[in-house]
Amino acid sequence: MATTSDPNASTGVPAQAASPTDPTARATGTTDDLRPGPDSAATWGEFVGADPDFSGVVGAAFRAHRHHVLATIRKDGAPRVSGTEVDFRGDEMLFGSMPGARKARDLQRDPRFALHAMPGDTSMQPGDVKISGLALEVRDKAELSRLLGPEEEVGEGVHVFRVLLTDAVLTTVEGDELVVRTWRPATGVREIRRQG
């Protein structure tokens, strides 16, 4: 998949998705045409297949609580944080948005996001979990039906986004060390330990 030669190219943002003036970028509503190469982004199912143990910990953190914190990029380039819920359907991680919500508009313009799992109580178990990647809106009714199941209807104007992961991070404290484990499609899990 070709990427642009502008500054967005280094982030792995596909050329079509990086251009808000390109009406063909979202014309079909399918997400496969916007997908970057397999070394830079992965579906949830690909993450699970590549590292069942690490993805299990990350997935458990997102399943443990209903609400999480989503970071998107505003039109002026500033960050925006919003609450969101995630859903796992088969091999996909999805999240939605109310019609016309600002976070949805942000993602339609620039699909890069970060999602922080709600840590819950003060125990911080299993640790601090974050993912980053591309959130691609699914507009095609056939694809929505495949992802959600034919019996589930999506309300008028509701936005559904399919997640492609560029990284997943688990940060824990082990003894007097801060341990940061980062998974990326091309490298798998790498670990950094820092003395506290």
Side-chain angles (χ1 to χ4, degrees), residues 55-136:
S55 64
V57 173
V58 172
F62 283 105
R63 288 180 176 99
H65 300 282
R66 185 172 181 173
H67 298 101
H68 307 287
V69 180
L70 173 70
T72 58
I73 302 170
R74 297 174 192 250
K75 190 174 185 179
D76 66 1
R80 181 191 315 276
V81 293
S82 310
T84 196
E85 300 173 19
V86 299
D87 193 9
F88 294 89
R89 298 294 180 103
D91 286 343
E92 303 289 351
M93 180 187 220
L94 308 170
F95 61 85
S97 173
M98 298 299 287
R102 291 183 188 264
K103 63 186 173 186
R105 291 180 187 164
D106 290 345
L107 292 168
Q108 288 169 337
R109 184 175 48 256
D110 186 333
R112 292 175 294 173
F113 78 96
L115 187 63
H116 186 236
M118 178 62 69
D121 61 25
T122 58
S123 70
M124 289 294 290
Q125 292 300 319
D128 189 42
V129 174
K130 301 173 284 289
I131 62 170
S132 300
L134 306 176
L136 304 177

Side-chain angles (χ1 to χ4, degrees), residues 3-4 19-20 28 31 36 44 46-48 54 66-67 99 107 130 133 149 152 161 176 180 188 194:
T3 56
T4 62
S19 173
T28 65
T31 56
W44 183 260
E46 290 164 344
F47 177 33
V48 171
F54 192 69
R66 185 172 181 173
H67 298 101
L107 292 168
K130 301 173 284 289
E152 187 164 341
F161 293 91
D176 63 349
V180 181
R194 297 182 186 140

